[in-house]
Amino acid sequence: MRIPVIAVSFLALFAVNALALPQESRVPGGVALLPLTGINTAQPPSTWYRSNRVMVVPSTDTRLAEQSRWVAVIGIPLSAKPAKRQHVRSEGTSFYFSIQEKAYEAQYLTVPNKRHVEPNPEDVARWQRERRKMNQAFVAWSQPAQAVSRFDLPTQGPFSSAFGLKRFFNNQPRNPHSGLDIAAPKGTPIVSPASGKVVDTGDYFFNGNTVIIDHGFGLTTMYCHMSQIDVAIGDQLKSGDIIGAVGKTGRVTGAHLHWSVSLNNTRVDPTLFLSE
Ligand code: ZN
């Protein structure tokens, strides 16, 4: 039997990244690795969760490979309800998985600029425009030759705020923390933690100077509060390329990098993607 050349080359491409999947954590804000049992397509099957396309990679992990040829790598939103079964569709077949509760701690912060806590109508309109622009970057779907599913750290410094914290700014409840904060002095270089393409830059109301990188297959990363941006939309990056520097622009209490990781347009815990 002849095996189609395209299928062979595709699998060979992914073999380079064998066993480099994110750490699984089936909780709100975590990642599910779901074997797509019974789907035997030659190419990665088109797979959807909550109306977003999902990353699918060949099962190179022996435990998963016993169950299926393909594994969906699914970002679970912080707002997901553990009581509800999660529904995934792939090539006309329904798959389900369940998630567990995770208790995220509360964090109380005092920000000096009151407009960052109680924005005026102009600020709100600006933020809504900016959010739409950023959202386009998060929903982008690209299929680069080199798939990415693990990251190096984008800057050096202590983790100062974990992902998922329930947040209170000047004692008022706000959205939970959608990224990981790394504290570092202003000017500390920020590098791309993997190969990717710059798909958005801007000076945003809450996020300050911001860069978004598309790593392909629905995986994107965002860098906020930068003092400077050294890349432009369309730039192709390799792991370790400098994209800018740590700063304190936007809604901050001090200089740090806010780093978000998004899978299927869902912000998830960046630490699940770190290589040891
Ligand atoms: Zn942050």
Side-chain angles (χ1 to χ4, degrees):
M1 190 190 113
R2 288 186 57 183
I3 299 166
V5 171
I6 187 159
V8 171
S9 59
F10 184 81
L11 289 172
L13 187 82
F14 270 102
V16 176
N17 284 331
L19 304 176
L21 292 178
Q23 191 186 319
E24 183 169 44
S25 177
R26 291 187 179 187
V27 299
V31 172
L33 304 178
L34 185 70
L36 299 174
T37 308
I39 307 280
N40 290 309
T41 52
Q43 294 294 308
S46 174
T47 303
W48 299 78
Y49 169 62
R50 292 171 176 247
S51 73
N52 292 300
R53 190 161 179 191
V54 165
M55 176 187 281
V56 175
V57 297
S59 328
T60 47
D61 179 309
T62 35
R63 186 182 56 85
L64 297 171
E66 277 172 22
Q67 301 174 55
S68 172
R69 176 173 192 175
W70 299 107
V71 175
V73 183
I74 305 167
I76 306 164
L78 272 170
S79 59
K81 299 279 175 283
K84 203 165 175 288
R85 273 195 320 171
Q86 307 297 305
H87 178 216
V88 177
R89 278 187 76 74
S90 183
E91 303 287 330
T93 303
S94 283
F95 294 87
Y96 296 91
F97 66 98
S98 46
I99 58 175
Q100 299 190 319
E101 298 273 4
K102 178 164 180 178
Y104 289 101
E105 285 176 25
Q107 182 182 42
Y108 295 82
L109 295 167
T110 304
V111 294
N113 181 348
K114 288 199 171 54
R115 270 171 64 188
H116 281 142
V117 181
E118 292 174 79
N120 66 36
E122 263 172 49
D123 298 334
V124 172
R126 174 183 162 186
W127 170 239
Q128 284 171 342
R129 276 197 308 278
E130 294 172 351
R131 201 171 49 177
R132 276 196 294 276
K133 184 165 173 275
M134 281 182 271
N135 223 44
Q136 285 177 353
F138 287 128
V139 300
W141 182 267
S142 67
Q143 302 194 169
Q146 183 73 54
V148 166
S149 54
R150 281 273 176 166
F151 293 122
D152 297 323
L153 279 171
T155 196
Q156 296 301 316
F159 297 171
S160 49
S161 279
F163 171 87
L165 296 174
K166 294 172 185 151
R167 281 197 143 169
F168 297 81
F169 287 97
N170 303 358
N171 282 320
Q172 300 197 38
R174 291 293 180 265
N175 287 336
H177 192 218
S178 59
L180 169 69
D181 287 354
I182 303 174
K186 184 182 170 190
T188 307
I190 300 169
V191 300
S192 183
S195 59
K197 181 181 173 182
V198 178
V199 286
D200 192 39
T201 65
D203 173 10
Y204 298 139
F205 182 70
F206 287 120
N207 292 347
N209 289 324
T210 297
V211 171
I212 301 180
I213 302 173
D214 177 9
H215 302 281
F217 304 93
L219 180 63
T220 55
T221 52
M222 178 169 74
Y223 307 79
C224 302
H225 313 307
M226 300 163 75
S227 59
Q228 65 183 72
I229 294 174
D230 295 329
V231 289
I233 292 173
D235 284 359
Q236 291 285 349
L237 303 172
K238 299 185 304 293
S239 180
D241 283 351
I242 289 181
I243 61 168
V246 173
K248 50 178 183 178
T249 54
R251 183 179 62 185
V252 295
T253 58
H256 72 278
L257 170 65
H258 170 101
W259 181 37
S260 282
V261 173
S262 182
L263 247 186
N264 48 272
N265 190 25
T266 301
R267 262 51 84 199
V268 293
D269 187 349
T271 61
L272 298 173
F273 292 76
L274 292 177
S275 312
E276 247 39 74

